[in-house]
Amino acid sequence: MAEKDLNELFLDTLKDIYYAEKQILKALPKMAKAANSDKLRAAFEKHHEETEGHVERLEQIFELLGKAARGKKCDAIEGLIEEGKEIMEQYADTPALDAGLLAAAQAVEHYEISRYGTLKAWAAKLNNPQAVKLIDQTLAEEKKTDETLTKIAETAVNYEAAA
C-alpha cells in the first residue's frame, strides 16, 4: 500500500467539512424555527446564507484540485447536530431552549473553525494560495458567527434562560 501524504489528508478533510457543511445547511432552518429569540433566529438565518457560500467555496477548491466535490460522512458533525436535536426536544417551550440552541451552534462553529484553520495551514504547506484564500474567507465568517453568538448569549439569551 502506498504511503498516504498531506495531499490525501487535505482531500479527506475537505470531504469531511463538505459533508459537515451540507448537514449544517439542513439543521440551521430547524434551529431558526425553534428559536424564541428574534436575534438568535436572525443569526441562524444569516449563517444559513453564509453556509451556502461555504459550500460553493469548497466546491471551488475541489475544482482547483481536479476532484469531484463529494462529502465523506463526518461522525463529529453528526454527533453535534444530534445534540442540537436533543436540546430542541428536551427544552422545547422552556426559557433555557435558546441558551441550549446557542451552545449547540457554538460547538458546531468551534468544530468548523478548527477544521478550516487546519485546512488553511495545509493548503499553505501544499503551496495552494487559491485554496488558502477561499478557506480564509470561510474561516473569517465562521469566527464572526461565533463572536455574534457569544454577544447574543452574553447580552440576552443567558439572562432570559436564568430568569
Side-chain angles (χ1 to χ4, degrees), residues 74-145:
C74 172
D75 292 330
I77 207 66
E78 295 276 330
L80 291 171
I81 289 172
E82 188 56 38
E83 283 181 13
K85 287 178 186 172
E86 288 174 11
I87 288 167
M88 284 189 276
E89 291 167 9
Q90 294 172 5
Y91 291 89
D93 303 319
T94 73
L97 174 64
D98 283 353
L101 285 172
L102 204 144
Q106 283 196 290
V108 169
E109 289 308 307
H110 294 172
Y111 175 77
E112 290 178 294
I113 289 166
S114 168
R115 281 292 186 225
Y116 282 115
T118 297
L119 284 167
K120 181 181 168 185
W122 289 346
K125 189 73 177 163
L126 294 169
N127 197 26
N128 191 333
Q130 294 156 303
V132 170
K133 184 179 177 189
L134 291 165
I135 293 165
D136 195 46
Q137 287 176 277
T138 298
L139 182 57
E141 289 176 0
E142 299 292 11
K143 287 178 178 179
K144 181 80 172 131
T145 296

Side-chain angles (χ1 to χ4, degrees), residues 1 8 10 39 51 73 121 160:
M1 187 168 97
E8 290 178 66
F10 180 79
K39 284 183 181 178
T51 302
K73 187 173 186 237
E160 292 160 14

Side-chain angles (χ1 to χ4, degrees), residues 6 18 25 29 31 38 65 67 74 77 85 89 93 99 102 123 125 134 150-151:
L6 189 58
Y18 186 70
L25 275 175
M31 293 173 74
D38 290 338
L65 300 173
K67 304 288 184 183
C74 172
I77 207 66
K85 287 178 186 172
E89 291 167 9
D93 303 319
L102 204 144
K125 189 73 177 163
L134 291 165
T150 296
K151 188 177 284 186

Side-chain angles (χ1 to χ4, degrees), residues 4-110:
K4 293 188 176 252
D5 63 9
L6 189 58
N7 281 304
E8 290 178 66
L9 187 57
F10 180 79
L11 183 60
D12 265 358
T13 306
L14 204 60
K15 289 176 180 179
D16 177 275
I17 197 68
Y18 186 70
Y19 176 91
E21 293 285 20
K22 294 280 201 163
Q23 297 308 304
I24 293 163
L25 275 175
K26 293 178 192 172
L28 279 168
K30 294 172 188 165
M31 293 173 74
K33 186 177 180 186
N36 294 313
S37 161
D38 290 338
K39 284 183 181 178
L40 185 57
R41 185 177 312 107
F44 288 156
E45 289 168 353
K46 179 180 184 215
H47 197 57
H48 185 267
E49 288 176 30
E50 288 176 347
T51 302
E52 290 172 343
H54 301 169
V55 168
E56 288 172 18
R57 284 188 205 118
L58 288 169
E59 289 169 350
Q60 290 175 39
I61 296 168
F62 279 112
E63 196 174 308
L64 285 171
L65 300 173
K67 304 288 184 183
R70 280 201 332 262
K72 177 178 115 181
K73 187 173 186 237
C74 172
D75 292 330
I77 207 66
E78 295 276 330
L80 291 171
I81 289 172
E82 188 56 38
E83 283 181 13
K85 287 178 186 172
E86 288 174 11
I87 288 167
M88 284 189 276
E89 291 167 9
Q90 294 172 5
Y91 291 89
D93 303 319
T94 73
L97 174 64
D98 283 353
L101 285 172
L102 204 144
Q106 283 196 290
V108 169
E109 289 308 307
H110 294 172

